[in-house]
Amino acid sequence: MARILIAGESWMTTSTHVKGVDEFSVHSYVEGVGPLRDALTGRGHVVEHLPAHLVPTRFPGDAAALSAYDLVVLSDIGANSIQLAPQVFERFEPGQDRLAALRDWVGEGGALLMIGGYLSFSGFQARAAFRQTAIAEVLPVTMLPEDDRVESPAGIVPTVGDPGHAALGGAGADWPGLLGYNRTVAKDGAEVPARVGQDPLVALAPFGAGRAGVFTSDCSPHWAPPAFCEEWPGYADLFDGLARWLVRG
C-alpha cells in the first residue's frame, strides 16, 4: 500500500451556444482521474487527488509536505501551475521552488511518476514546459524542445518487450491500442519495458535514493480510450505495478 498524490487530471470547459441572434456560455468542471484513482484504490493504495485548479495554491512545496506521500503523480498538469503560486505570479514575491523541492525529495528516497497528456512533458505547443525545470533531471527520459505530441487517430498498439518486469504488474504482453502519446527519448541506463513504435511508453530509472518513472500516454480519454482504461483488466495491474515498483525504491 502506498500513499499517492495525483496532481492534475481535471479541467474546466467553456462552450458558447448560438441560437439565432442570441448566444450564451456554459461552463463545466470535468475530472479525468477516475480510472486511475479507482485502479489504485482498488489495489489498496491511499489516493489523494489535487485538481488542476488547486495546484497553484496547494501543491506541496517542501520535504516536510511531500513526506505525507510515498509517490507523487503528475498527470496532464503543466510546470507553470506548480511553479507560479499566487505569491509569485500575483504579488511578485519570492516563493518556494516546488519542482526543485520535488526533485530533492525524490533524490532522498521519494518516488515520481509522470503520465502523458497535452500538459505533460513538453506537451501541446511545448506549453507543459517541464524540459527546463528541475524535473528534467529526475525523469528517465529526455523531453523534446518542441510540441511532443504524437497523435495516432487510427490507434497504435504498444510493444511490451519485458512483460515480466515487476513495474508492469503482470499486465501481460497484449495491450489495447492507444490514440496518442508524448514522444520522449530514453536516457542512458533507463529501463524501457514497453514502447509505442520506437518511443518509450513506460520508462524507469533510479534517481539518487528514489525512483522515477513515466507512462507517456494518457490514463484516461482521449489518448487512452475506454478499451484501454475501462475494459482492459491489465490497466489496474499496470498502474498498481508502477506504484509498487517506484515506491520500493
Side-chain angles (χ1 to χ4, degrees):
M1 182 273 290
R3 302 165 299 167
I4 301 173
L5 174 66
I6 302 174
E9 277 305 322
S10 72
W11 59 93
M12 298 180 186
T13 299
T14 299
S15 60
T16 301
H17 297 240
V18 179
K19 299 185 176 181
V21 298
D22 296 303
E23 60 85 19
F24 59 90
S25 297
V26 176
H27 310 274
S28 61
Y29 169 74
V30 186
E31 290 186 352
V33 74
L36 179 61
R37 179 179 54 202
D38 293 348
L40 292 171
T41 57
R43 296 300 175 90
H45 303 288
V46 177
V47 177
E48 179 182 338
H49 178 221
L50 185 62
H53 66 283
L54 297 180
V55 167
T57 55
R58 298 188 186 178
F59 192 86
D62 54 32
L66 288 163
S67 69
Y69 310 101
D70 302 304
L71 170 64
V72 173
V73 179
L74 302 180
S75 186
D76 214 355
I77 182 72
N80 284 328
S81 293
I82 301 173
Q83 291 183 305
L84 299 181
Q87 172 188 359
V88 176
F89 190 63
E90 298 172 8
R91 300 195 296 273
F92 329 118
E93 301 169 356
Q96 295 170 311
D97 189 335
R98 296 185 290 194
L99 289 178
L102 182 58
R103 173 199 59 199
D104 296 343
W105 174 76
V106 176
E108 292 167 3
L112 173 67
L113 174 65
M114 181 174 284
I115 296 175
Y118 272 34
L119 283 172
S120 297
F121 302 100
S122 291
F124 177 75
Q125 297 178 346
R127 292 185 183 185
F130 282 102
R131 184 174 179 268
Q132 299 188 77
T133 72
I135 292 305
E137 302 173 37
V138 182
L139 296 180
V141 295
T142 298
M143 293 172 276
L144 305 186
E146 67 271 9
D147 189 321
D148 62 4
R149 295 169 303 131
V150 178
E151 300 287 357
S152 303
I156 185 169
V157 177
T159 300
V160 183
D162 186 3
H165 196 294
L168 303 188
D174 297 320
W175 294 14
L178 297 162
L179 299 178
Y181 63 96
N182 298 90
R183 173 168 284 150
T184 61
V185 178
K187 291 180 180 176
D188 290 344
E191 300 178 62
V192 186
R195 294 181 179 272
V196 270
Q198 299 300 311
D199 301 320
L201 176 60
V202 176
L204 311 152
F207 181 77
R211 287 181 172 182
V214 299
F215 177 78
T216 60
S217 189
D218 213 333
C219 61
S220 62
H222 81 281
W223 280 348
F228 189 93
C229 66
E230 297 176 7
E231 301 165 10
W232 179 44
Y235 179 90
D237 296 331
L238 170 61
F239 284 102
D240 175 52
L242 283 168
R244 293 179 186 276
W245 188 91
L246 291 165
V247 169
R248 276 201 296 268

